[in-house]
Amino acid sequence: MGRHSIHVVFYYRTNPFLDCSDLAGLRLSLSEFLCSYLPVTGRLAARQPAEESRGGDNYWVVKCNDAGVRMLRANVGATLDEWLGFASGSDERDLTVWEDMPDDPSIWSPFCIQISDFEGGGLAIGLSCSHMHADQTSATLLVKSWAELQRGEPISQPPVFHKFPTPDSKPSPKTNTMLLKFYASKPKDRVPKRQMATATFRFPDAKMKQCLSEIHTECPDATPFDALLALFWTRVVRLNPPVEQNHSHYLTICRDSMKLIHPPLPIGYFGNALHFSRLSLDIEALQSWRLERVAGIVHNHVASVEEEELARLWIVSNGRKERSWSDTSNRL
């Protein structure tokens, strides 16, 4: 996950910070709210595990040393409506500030905030963070908590950094889980960045119900997620077929596991609860099979993820988090 980052942009037609014409007021509220999010102010450090069971590989910990969050303010030479009319995905990245993790992350900020002012009074808040620290849900709740405190309201979902397992819960000794297979297949070195296109699709409720009614003839328990995933997968292969036909086409599936384990993780859980797995099918099968058959295979793959594997995801993660800080000033 060190190669992946999250970039979230929140747009406001009017400045939500009232009389905060400069960063001074924002820094005060940010400092106060970060007292509840100490790991956000820390820095990454690699530790060599003492246990032989970890295989001798380094693992990451967050040192809560109050090093702070990087904050930047910028101006956009367009109104908010103009920006939303022409801005592409790459343009929106300009509303977030980010630098990739260096070889020595001890002075690198894993969380960055950019405040961008539009002509005519609009404003955007861009949050960037490492996927090693948080997923999209946690990143969104982070900004939501800041907004609540800025308005003088209590934080509705206080952050929870540890969900301790029951006494008899231990990380699974299995080494052939979907998640471990997925990480084992990823290259160890950094992959070159590629320009990716973005698109938005809207599916009316009536069309989704019609699609599901057809799929349910073969897979009665198929969900809208299964149907849409199968739809896009089969169309991509047909519209852009690979040069070599005699091999498989794989799909990486990412799911939020917060509600999939028992008991479920609390809404305020701050961390990365994403579960990754990989599904492969022959190219010829994807090009010839009907949609309901592919949707059934997707559904069976997703349903085959055992709760033990999902529980292992956050048990191991919590076991590798450390809290240590030198002071409590929460400097910016």
Side-chain angles (χ1 to χ4, degrees), residues 175-186 278:
T175 59
N176 61 342
T177 62
M178 292 183 180
L179 186 64
L180 294 180
K181 288 180 179 178
F182 171 80
Y183 285 126
S185 66
K186 301 288 286 184
R278 178 169 291 180

Side-chain angles (χ1 to χ4, degrees), residues 23 71-77 94-97 113-119 122-124:
L23 291 182
M71 195 172 184
L72 178 73
R73 191 152 200 177
N75 293 316
V76 182
D94 291 335
L95 300 183
T96 62
V97 56
I113 297 175
Q114 177 173 320
I115 309 295
S116 301
D117 296 291
F118 292 91
E119 293 182 354
L123 182 140

Side-chain angles (χ1 to χ4, degrees), residues 8 12 21-22 41 52 58 79 81 128 132 175 191 204 255 281 308-309 321 326:
V8 187
Y12 300 86
S21 57
D22 53 38
T41 68
E52 296 180 358
N58 289 337
T79 65
D81 289 329
S128 301
M132 297 173 68
T175 59
V191 296
R255 292 195 302 162
L281 284 178
E308 180 185 6
E309 178 174 349
K321 283 185 179 179
S326 55

Side-chain angles (χ1 to χ4, degrees), residues 166-294:
T166 56
D168 58 346
S169 297
K170 296 180 180 179
S172 170
K174 293 183 178 180
T175 59
N176 61 342
T177 62
M178 292 183 180
L179 186 64
L180 294 180
K181 288 180 179 178
F182 171 80
Y183 285 126
S185 66
K186 301 288 286 184
K188 299 300 181 183
D189 55 339
R190 291 181 176 271
V191 296
K193 293 183 177 180
R194 294 175 296 177
Q195 185 70 23
M196 299 184 67
T198 60
T200 302
F201 298 87
R202 178 180 179 271
F203 295 89
D205 183 62
K207 290 293 184 181
M208 280 303 309
K209 290 181 178 179
Q210 179 183 350
C211 179
L212 285 174
S213 65
E214 297 174 357
I215 293 176
H216 285 169
T217 59
E218 184 162 330
C219 183
D221 298 325
T223 65
F225 175 83
D226 304 327
L228 291 176
L229 195 152
L231 175 65
F232 280 103
W233 195 10
T234 53
R235 269 46 183 183
V236 166
V237 172
R238 292 177 184 177
L239 294 175
N240 189 21
V243 177
E244 299 180 7
Q245 292 290 317
N246 297 324
H247 62 82
S248 298
H249 195 273
Y250 69 86
L251 183 74
T252 298
I253 300 177
C254 174
R255 292 195 302 162
D256 188 338
S257 65
M258 289 184 60
K259 302 301 181 182
L260 301 179
I261 62 175
H262 298 285
L265 293 172
I267 296 178
Y269 176 76
F270 190 83
N272 193 328
L274 298 181
H275 177 272
F276 292 86
S277 62
R278 178 169 291 180
L279 175 61
S280 298
L281 284 178
D282 292 337
I283 297 295
E284 294 182 358
L286 281 170
Q287 293 175 332
S288 60
W289 286 353
R290 294 174 59 85
L291 179 64
E292 51 264 33
R293 185 172 183 182
V294 178

Side-chain angles (χ1 to χ4, degrees), residues 23-34 41 43 66-71 109 113 146 329-332:
L23 291 182
L26 302 185
R27 289 177 182 273
L28 289 175
S29 64
L30 183 61
S31 297
E32 183 178 352
F33 121 85
L34 285 178
T41 68
R43 296 294 182 262
D66 297 317
V69 173
R70 300 276 169 83
M71 195 172 184
S109 177
I113 297 175
W146 183 19
S329 59
N330 290 305
R331 296 186 302 273
L332 286 175

Side-chain angles (χ1 to χ4, degrees), residues 54-130:
R54 295 191 189 273
D57 295 331
N58 289 337
Y59 67 99
W60 293 105
V61 296
V62 177
K63 294 185 68 66
C64 302
N65 56 5
D66 297 317
V69 173
R70 300 276 169 83
M71 195 172 184
L72 178 73
R73 191 152 200 177
N75 293 316
V76 182
T79 65
L80 179 57
D81 289 329
E82 291 173 342
W83 174 267
L84 295 177
F86 71 79
S88 63
S90 58
D91 292 328
E92 285 193 303
R93 286 292 296 268
D94 291 335
L95 300 183
T96 62
V97 56
W98 182 252
E99 58 181 20
D100 293 328
M101 183 172 66
D103 294 334
D104 179 13
S106 59
I107 60 173
W108 170 74
S109 177
F111 286 84
C112 299
I113 297 175
Q114 177 173 320
I115 309 295
S116 301
D117 296 291
F118 292 91
E119 293 182 354
L123 182 140
I125 300 177
L127 172 69
S128 301
C129 67
S130 167

